[in-house]
Amino acid sequence: MAPTRDHSLPELNGHGLQLRPWNPDSGSDVDTWLRGLRDPEFRRWNTPLRPVTDRRSARESLLAREQSAAEGTSLSFRIADARGGTVLGHIGVNEIRYHLRVARVGYWVLPEARGRGVATRALLLAARWAFTELRLHRLELDHAVGHEASCRIAERCGFAQEGTLRGAIFAEDRHDAFRDAHLHARLATDPEPAGVRGSEDDR
């Protein structure tokens, strides 16, 4: 059965960025998704549950995300430069539990877009939208222990480190081994983070 099309996911604009839903019917979106998930730096810190290795699996991955958006469980955005429209990366508000008003956020940035504060700006924009429009109370973010750049991005965006999750995520390129993760979180009642600056931390 084909997934239900969702046309209600908004376009978000701010901090020099435009966030819009990924389109599995767009060849350029599929190619960008594939390139992002095959990037060595992404693969160093992230091991997807279902490998994305070619255009077919990339499109299937985007179709699955479109279905999740239609169901309201996970919402995925393509990050682009607001002025020129150049694609820069991805950010998602995932595993939404409306009864608890909690979700998890995750992101990645393409190699050529790093060092420009893209992840920081996208996270600030997506978090504000999740708190105000989705009316969530808590956003969680986790990353592999040792990923210091992601740690700094989280803290810069007001996501305080809360502890270490033991054996919480897959080891690099493994589905039969695990590694620890740092857990960060931000509440809707936390102070708004201070200004946005470019950073070499975007990975």
Side-chain angles (χ1 to χ4, degrees), residues 75-86:
L75 309 174
S76 299
F77 293 93
R78 190 194 75 164
I79 307 170
D81 178 75
R83 180 174 298 179
T86 303

Side-chain angles (χ1 to χ4, degrees), residues 94-167:
N94 309 312
E95 301 176 34
I96 304 172
R97 292 172 285 166
Y98 291 101
H99 60 295
L100 291 175
R101 294 168 61 190
V102 175
R104 285 183 174 259
V105 291
Y107 53 82
W108 49 259
V109 175
L110 292 169
E112 67 273 17
R114 292 173 186 152
R116 296 160 50 189
V118 173
T120 298
R121 291 182 283 143
L123 182 54
L124 288 171
L125 183 59
R128 177 176 291 180
W129 175 76
F131 287 136
T132 58
E133 299 301 321
L134 298 184
R135 301 183 65 80
L136 297 181
H137 172 66
R138 176 179 168 91
L139 291 176
E140 297 178 346
L141 185 160
D142 65 61
H143 60 80
V145 171
H147 195 349
E148 299 301 328
S150 196
C151 208
R152 288 190 291 269
I153 291 166
E155 292 177 346
R156 189 179 301 119
C157 292
F159 286 73
Q161 186 173 326
E162 295 188 340
T164 300
L165 304 172
R166 296 180 302 144

